[in-house]
Amino acid sequence: MTQSFPPATIGYGFSHAHLLGIDPLKPGEIAYLLDRAAYFAELEPGEAPDALAGSTVINLFFENSTRTRSSFEIAAQRLGADVVNMDVATSSVKKGETLIDTADTLNAMRPDFLVVRHGQAGAVKLLSRKLDAHVLNGGDGKHEHPTQALADALTIRRHKGKIDGLTVAICGDIRHSRVARSNLLLLQKMGARVRLIGPPTLLPNSYEALGVEVYHRMDEGLRDVDIVMMLRLQVERMAGTLIPSGREFFRFYGLDRDRLALAKPDALVMHPGPMNRGVEIASDIADDLDQSVIREQVEMGVAVRMACFEALATRRAPTTLRAA
Amino acid sequence: MSKRTLIRNVHLFDPANGHDGPGGVVLYGDRIVAVFGGDSAIAADADVVIDGQGATLLPGLIDSRVHLSEPGLEYRETVGETARLAARGGISTVIAQPSTAPAIDRPQAVYAVSHRSQGGKGARMQTLGALTVGCEGKELAELGLLAEAGALGFSNGTAPVGPLDTISRALNYARSTGLTVCLGQMDAVWGEPGVIGGELAARMGLGGIPALAEVMSIERDLRLVEMTGVQAHFDMVTSAEGVNAIRDAKARGLPITAGTGIAYATLTDIAIGDYRTHAKLHPPLRPDRDRLGVVQGLADGTLDTLVSDHRPIDTDHKRVPFEQAEPGMVGLETFFSLALSLEDRGVSKARLISALTSAPARVFALESGIRPNAPADLTLADLDRPRRLSEARLHSRCRNFNYEGIPARGVVLKTYVGGKLVFERA
C-alpha cells in the first residue's frame, strides 16, 4: 500500500529535533511520516523494529487524557522504549513549581523523549527550549495537536488513496480545537481544500485569513465534500455562553443522515473523539462501519506516533531518506 | 548661595517656544533666567560655563505613562531606580500610573512617591491618582484630597472605569478638581487572556482581543466627556480605528487630548513570533495597518503625546506560557531614540519633540519649555549620533526588552532637573 504513494521529492525525510506542530513541517516531511506510519500500520505488533531500544520516554500530561497518552505509550513500547507516565496532578507542579523548574528537573533525569500535553498554547514550545530531550506535542491549549492530524491524514489516505484535491469539511467547535488547527494546516499543505463549518461564536471570521472557506450553515458547507470531520463540543472550555444548548447545537450543527446525504456518496465521517453522541454526531452514523472511520483513526494514531518517535530518534538528513 | 550656570554653544530646539537655532541658556537656582540666540557675551556673568559643543538642548522630556513597581514589587525596580533610569533616558519628569499595589488612591500614597524618589538623583517623580478605589471601578477615590496632595490627574491604570453609572459619576465629580482624567482603556469584557484579534490569534490558539474593544471604549468615553465636560486625555490609543475616533471627535470640537505608547508606533504583532512573552503588552500589539494609523495620528497631531509605558517585569513572570505571562516592556532608557526613529516614518521632529515635552506639559498643567522663569528641566542630546539598542546596555534590572539589535540614533548627554545635573553620559 505504501508504494502506491510516490514520495514527494522536495524535502522528503525529517530533520527536526522536536515535533511541536504541523506548522513547521514541510509537505515532504509530512509525506515521509505518513509513509512510515503506513508501513507500521501493516505490521503485527511484535514485528516492529526496536528503534527506541534503550530509550526513555516520559509522558508529561498537564491535562487529563486517556486515549492520547495510551496511544503514545503503546507506540513507544512497540518500538522498544521504556515509558514513564508522570502524573502531573499529584506532582510538584500542583505545589507551585514553574514550568521551567519542571523542565530542569526532568532534564536531570535525562529522558530521550518527552511527550507533553499542556493547557496553554506555546507551553510545549517553551519546554522544548529548555530540554535536551526530543519533545513531542501531545496537544498545547488551543494551538496544535500534530499527531492527531497525522493520524487523520493517514486514515484519509488509506481510504481515498490521496489527500491532494479532496474537499474536507471540519465542523463544530473550531475555536477551541487544536485538532482543527493542526488538521487544517496539514490538509492545506497536502493540497486539500478545507471548509470550516460552525456557529459564529465557535468559528470567528478571522479564520478566513488562514485560507479556508468559512461556513455558518451545515447544509451549505457539507455539499459535495469528500470528508466530514466532526469535532467534540468542548463544553469545559466554554467559559462564556457561546451556544445556547446542546440540543440547539445538534439541531443546527449536528451530523445526521439528512445532512450527511449532502456530502459525496462515498464521503468519510471522522471524529477525533471522545464523542458526544447526540450533540455533534448521531449515534447511528458514528457506528456505521461503511462511512465512519472513527475507530480506524485511533488505530492509525498508534502508527503515526511510532513514525514520529522513529523519525526523531534517527533524525535522518533529508537526502538519505529517498530509499525508505 | 546658588550659582549661575551658563550652557552655551548648543542648538536650542523647543517648537512650543519658537526655538530652532544656535544659542544658550543661563540657569540660576532651579530656574532658567535667560535664553539667548547666537553666542553672546553673557558668559562673563556665569559661575559655571558648560560648552554644549553644538549638541541639541531640549526642554526636559516628560514621560506621562510609567508603571512603578514600588510599593509591592520592589525587587523589579524601586522608585529611586525608576527616577535614575528615566534621567538616563533624558526624561526629567515621570508621571506614574496609580495602579501600584496598593493603588495610589489616597493622599499619603501621592506623598510616598515623591518621598521614595528622594535620595536618588533622577527625574522628578510625579503621579496620577486612582479614579476609583484600588482602580477597581467600584467606589470613587478621594479625588479632591488626591489633587491637593499633588496628583497631576486621574487614571484607572489599565482597567476600564467600570459600569456606566460609576464612570459617569466619577467623571462628573472629577470635573470639580479641574484635573485631567485619562480615559479610553479597552474594555476587559472583550479581553480574553491573550494577544490580539484576527489571524494571529486564530493561528496561535490564543484568545483574541479585537481592536474594537478599544474603539468602543473610546467612543463610549467620548460621549461621557461630552456629557460631563471633564477634561479628558485618551492616553493609550493603539489602533487605526481608535485614532480615527479621536480625529473625528477633535474635528467635532471636543476639547480632548490623546496619545499613544512608543511600542504601538514601532512594533507589530509580528514581534510576538513564536510566543515571545516580552512582546505581550497591554493593550496588545496589533497588525501593521494599526501601527501605520498610530504613526499617522502622531504625524497629523491627532495624537498629542507619546509615552514609554515603561513596565518592568522580571524573568519569572515572563518565562512562562504566554497566557500566564505578565504584559509590559521596559522603555525609559530607549524611549528617546525610538521616538526619534519616527522621524524617518513621516513624523516631523517638531511634532515628536512636542509630543515628549510641551504636549504632556499642557495636558497635565506642568511648567515646561526653554523660556525665562521656567523650571531648569533640560535635556542635552546629540540627535544624530547612531547607537544600537541592546539589552546588554540597559541599566534596568528587568530585561523585558523588545528592540534587541535595532539601529537607532539620538544619545542623551546630560539631563537637568530643577537646575541640578542628574545624568551625564561618561
Side-chain angles (χ1 to χ4, degrees):
Chain A
M1 203 164 192
T2 316
Q3 262 52 45
S4 63
F5 310 109
T9 46
I10 298 168
Y12 188 75
F14 192 86
S15 58
H16 298 272
H18 310 291
L19 180 76
L20 300 176
I22 297 296
D23 201 28
L25 301 185
K26 290 190 269 298
E29 293 172 321
I30 293 167
Y32 169 73
L33 291 175
L34 294 179
D35 287 347
R36 288 304 291 167
Y39 162 72
F40 286 127
E42 298 302 315
L43 294 180
E44 292 300 316
E47 295 174 356
D50 52 358
L52 264 57
S55 304
T56 305
V57 176
I58 296 183
N59 273 332
L60 182 66
F61 277 57
F62 293 88
E63 279 189 336
N64 291 332
S65 161
T66 313
R67 61 180 62 216
T68 305
R69 196 177 80 171
S70 321
S71 181
F72 271 111
E73 187 170 354
I74 290 165
Q77 280 174 346
R78 285 197 184 152
L79 293 172
D82 296 317
V83 184
V84 180
N85 288 317
M86 296 269 292
D87 195 350
V88 181
T90 57
S91 80
S92 47
V93 175
K94 285 273 156 146
K95 297 172 193 162
E97 188 176 67
T98 67
L99 196 55
I100 295 299
D101 288 340
T102 305
D104 281 342
T105 307
L106 291 174
N107 231 2
M109 300 178 195
R110 299 167 70 179
D112 301 286
F113 298 89
L114 200 73
V115 181
V116 186
R117 169 170 287 189
H118 196 281
Q120 298 196 319
V124 178
K125 169 96 186 176
L126 179 67
L127 267 176
S128 75
R129 291 204 188 105
K130 299 288 156 192
L131 281 165
D132 300 327
H134 300 295
V135 174
L136 292 92
N137 186 352
D140 63 326
K142 296 177 275 179
H143 180 220
E144 282 229 46
H145 191 355
T147 55
Q148 179 69 46
L150 288 164
D152 294 349
L154 182 58
T155 308
I156 292 171
R157 226 176 63 165
R158 280 162 64 99
H159 285 266
K160 298 293 181 188
K162 60 172 185 175
I163 294 170
D164 186 30
L166 298 178
T167 304
V168 183
I170 306 177
C171 315
D173 184 1
I174 310 286
R175 181 186 199 126
H176 299 99
S177 178
R178 53 195 171 213
V179 175
R181 194 165 285 101
S182 285
N183 259 314
L184 76 86
L185 290 170
L186 187 151
L187 292 166
Q188 285 183 320
K189 281 175 196 269
M190 302 308 277
R193 283 177 62 190
V194 179
R195 299 177 181 177
L196 303 179
I197 314 174
T201 46
L202 299 180
L203 173 53
N205 285 334
S206 52
Y207 275 76
E208 279 170 1
L210 303 185
V212 297
E213 297 165 41
V214 168
Y215 292 88
H216 298 304
R217 295 174 64 92
M218 285 288 264
D219 293 354
E220 291 168 12
L222 286 181
R223 210 166 288 277
D224 297 324
V225 298
D226 297 286
I227 312 287
V228 182
M229 202 177 267
M230 302 305 296
L231 298 170
R232 188 169 68 87
L233 193 63
Q234 301 201 31
V235 184
E236 74 274 15
R237 287 188 200 270
M238 287 185 200
T241 46
L242 293 171
I243 55 161
S245 68
R247 70 176 187 179
E248 173 152 334
F249 184 79
F250 186 71
R251 170 73 184 78
F252 294 99
Y253 295 97
L255 187 66
D256 58 18
R257 285 279 165 209
D258 292 345
R259 293 221 169 92
L260 187 53
L262 296 167
K264 285 192 181 155
D266 61 345
L268 295 182
V269 175
M270 308 181 75
H271 194 301
M275 282 183 282
N276 299 311
R277 289 166 185 265
V279 176
E280 68 256 355
I281 188 164
S283 268
D284 61 325
I285 295 180
D287 298 332
D288 181 346
L289 293 180
D290 289 332
Q291 285 202 290
S292 160
V293 292
I294 295 168
R295 196 165 309 153
E296 189 175 336
Q297 288 174 268
V298 180
E299 191 188 334
M300 292 307 112
V302 176
V304 296
R305 286 169 184 122
M306 289 170 76
C308 294
F309 278 126
E310 186 202 46
L312 291 172
T314 49
R315 283 190 73 188
R316 288 177 273 189
T319 48
T320 63
L321 286 158
R322 295 286 157 73
Chain B
M1 193 191 115
S2 288
K3 285 186 284 196
R4 290 171 74 86
T5 305
L6 167 70
I7 304 176
R8 57 169 285 273
N9 191 16
V10 294
H11 184 101
L12 297 178
F13 193 79
D14 178 9
N17 287 292
H19 298 303
D20 182 8
V25 295
V26 180
L27 317 182
Y28 182 73
D30 62 356
R31 298 269 148 183
I32 299 172
V33 291
V35 181
F36 57 92
D39 197 5
S40 81
I42 296 178
D45 235 15
D47 306 302
V48 183
V49 179
I50 295 185
D51 181 357
Q53 298 182 330
T56 303
L57 190 68
L58 306 163
L61 309 182
I62 300 171
D63 187 352
S64 57
R65 190 176 169 94
V66 168
H67 300 267
L68 300 180
S69 304
E70 184 183 1
L73 301 163
E74 292 83 354
Y75 65 94
R76 291 181 180 171
E77 198 168 289
T78 63
V79 173
E81 284 170 323
T82 309
R84 284 192 293 279
L85 290 171
R88 211 164 241 296
I91 297 157
S92 63
T93 301
V94 163
I95 304 179
Q97 286 290 308
S99 47
T100 44
I104 301 173
D105 56 6
R106 66 204 78 189
Q108 295 88 333
V110 177
Y111 298 129
V113 170
S114 60
H115 176 73
R116 285 196 179 99
S117 67
Q118 277 169 9
K121 287 175 78 178
R124 285 179 205 276
M125 300 301 286
Q126 304 274 20
T127 183
L128 303 182
L131 195 58
T132 56
V133 174
C135 293
E136 284 171 355
K138 290 175 189 150
E139 300 161 49
L140 289 188
E142 295 167 326
L143 304 186
L145 294 178
L146 285 166
E148 259 182 14
L152 294 183
F154 303 105
S155 154
N156 225 35
T158 53
V161 194
L164 263 181
D165 55 344
T166 311
I167 177 175
S168 56
R169 278 180 215 139
L171 295 186
N172 232 338
Y173 188 84
R175 191 169 49 133
S176 66
T177 66
L179 298 185
T180 300
V181 181
C182 293
L183 290 174
Q185 288 299 329
M186 68 183 187
D187 200 327
V189 173
W190 289 75
E192 296 177 67
V195 266
I196 49 157
E199 188 192 344
L200 192 61
R203 201 181 284 283
M204 295 176 65
L206 293 165
I209 310 174
L212 202 55
E214 173 179 293
V215 179
M216 287 180 64
S217 286
I218 290 174
E219 287 178 343
R220 179 189 77 165
D221 290 355
L222 282 169
R223 294 291 172 192
L224 290 164
V225 170
E226 218 161 355
M227 186 183 90
T228 58
V230 74
Q231 192 185 331
H233 179 55
F234 292 77
D235 61 337
M236 284 289 273
V237 183
T238 66
S239 63
E241 276 301 306
V243 173
N244 289 341
I246 297 292
R247 189 180 288 120
D248 293 348
K250 285 186 166 183
R252 277 212 314 274
L254 214 54
I256 53 161
T257 51
T260 192
I262 187 68
Y264 306 97
T266 52
L267 296 174
T268 66
D269 55 8
I270 302 282
I272 293 161
D274 237 350
Y275 302 100
R276 265 190 88 249
T277 52
H278 285 182
K280 181 176 181 180
L281 305 181
H282 182 104
L285 290 172
R286 304 185 192 281
D288 202 43
R289 61 176 179 277
D290 287 307
R291 189 190 62 77
L292 290 170
V294 166
V295 172
Q296 179 57 37
L298 283 166
D300 67 19
T302 302
L303 301 180
D304 304 270
T305 60
L306 186 59
V307 297
S308 72
D309 199 30
H310 172 81
R311 189 194 299 244
I313 312 277
D314 58 303
T315 310
D316 285 349
H317 291 87
K318 279 290 192 186
R319 215 172 56 178
V320 292
F322 198 90
E323 285 173 46
Q324 287 172 18
E326 279 189 37
M329 66 171 198
V330 292
L332 292 172
E333 292 172 82
T334 51
F335 178 45
F336 182 53
S337 293
L338 288 166
L340 285 178
S341 75
L342 295 175
E343 202 183 339
D344 306 331
R345 304 187 181 176
V347 188
S348 72
K349 189 161 78 179
R351 275 286 314 132
L352 282 171
I353 299 304
S354 300
L356 303 184
T357 57
S358 55
R362 186 160 44 89
V363 171
F364 296 106
L366 290 166
E367 285 184 286
S368 155
I370 300 181
R371 57 184 163 77
N373 209 32
D377 292 2
L378 297 162
T379 301
L380 186 68
D382 182 341
L383 303 192
D384 297 317
R385 194 194 295 181
R387 64 186 285 209
R388 194 170 283 279
L389 306 183
S390 161
E391 187 204 298
R393 289 182 199 158
L394 295 183
H395 290 73
S396 168
R397 253 193 281 172
C398 291
R399 296 302 169 109
N400 45 322
F401 183 60
N402 278 312
Y403 298 95
E404 185 62 30
I406 303 279
R409 63 198 171 85
V411 172
V412 174
L413 305 172
K414 289 182 165 69
T415 308
Y416 290 89
V417 173
K420 268 185 12 188
L421 182 65
V422 294
F423 169 71
E424 180 171 23
R425 184 154 307 266

